[in-house]
Amino acid sequence: MKPMNELLSATGTTIFTVMSALAVQHGAINLGQGFPDYDGPPDVLKAAADALMDGRNQYPPMTGVPELRQAVAAANKRFYGIEVDPNAEVVVTSGATEAITASLMAVLNPGDEVVLIEPLYDTYVPTVKLLGAIPRIVRLSPPKWELPRAELAAAFGPKTKAILFNTPMNPTGKVFTAAELAFIADLVTRHDCYAICDEVYEHLTYDGWKHIPLMTLPGMRERCLRIGSAGKTFNLTGWKVGYVTCDRALQPNVAKAHQNLTFTTPPNLQRAVAVGLAKDDAYFASLGSELAARRDMLAAGLTELGFHVLPAMGSYFVTADIRSIGFTGDDVAFCRMLTEEAKVTAIPVTAFYAGEDPPNHYARFAFCKNESVLREALSRIRTWMEARRGAQRVAG
């Protein structure tokens, strides 16, 4: 038979699927995949259940039900002062991953170049390549993950059509600073291109850090496609409800891409997310404070065990240096061993790199779990480390 799509055939199963399956196989606590082990707000869940029974279960409008488009517009105004026309500048998608794909489809032609910042979400590069575009990757370096300005500027050129980046950032926990965003905005303007802004962790920031949408900077309103996620904001990752906010000139192409990907998103979930986006300020403030406490618990526990833990200003994740506990293998070997022997699962950070020779001595741990689960995970790691030290003494 004739060969299938070469890129997809060469693409392996995602590390998240592999490690989650391994966690199930070994009865491990899964601190790998970034999903909470607690449910979303009861009023949002009830709104979805009620909407399921109200007789409106056929195809909703392609760009999203009016209630949710209005709620997304209101949230943009409420949190960032961005004025948005809900009827012409919002597209609701089946998750943020679809929103990213639709946004790329909206602006790219084969041969265009896209600047990407790694470590990065593992769908970015394959999606860019599937669309016939060329990724130009710029690498951030631990432990501070600062933007390398000269390298970033050099990645832009005559064929640059867009930059795609994530802030707050997975897996680093980085929140891009105002100065870094201003530098990106200047490059976007000078090269007359677009910015696709993956902002799914927008409300998950800590220690006084605040998320700044690139769209709020001068000259960026008409160039940005801003992506949000109900899954991350309401601890409902399985709902797969995302949304794109963009200028009215860009929205029709995003909508056409969405039409050819999923066409629409379950209407009851959309209406429930609209209820969630209208929740009071206390709810959105609590997201950061509650997760910060879990982050601190996990980071302190890992530090006590001997890991060097990098700072995390946002997202669901902390990154730990596995060399600091004397592990001499790479991150993939560590995460597999941790799952099989300690019964705790983490993700090797090399999974977030597409370039050559990534740092291979970091593991990513998710802290969006109940505190009892985090305590048990730390206890298991401690027991495992003590057993390994005992075995090494005997062998020595």
Side-chain angles (χ1 to χ4, degrees), residues 4 10 16 35 52 186 206 211 221 253 278 286 313:
M4 295 180 286
F16 310 105
F35 58 84
L52 191 64
D186 180 64
Y206 319 116
H211 169 62
R221 175 66 174 79
N253 265 20
S286 72
M313 287 76 78

Side-chain angles (χ1 to χ4, degrees), residues 104 113-117 147 152 156 160-165 184 187-188 193-197 214:
L104 288 167
E113 295 182 357
V114 182
V115 177
L116 303 170
I117 297 175
L147 191 69
L152 185 67
F156 281 74
T160 303
K161 180 64 73 69
I163 179 173
L164 164 59
F165 72 105
I184 292 172
L187 288 171
V188 168
C193 60
Y194 302 99
I196 299 166
C197 307
L214 186 68

Side-chain angles (χ1 to χ4, degrees), residues 320-334:
D321 189 336
I322 61 177
R323 296 178 306 185
S324 54
I325 62 165
F327 191 85
T328 56
D330 65 18
D331 55 352
V332 175
F334 173 82

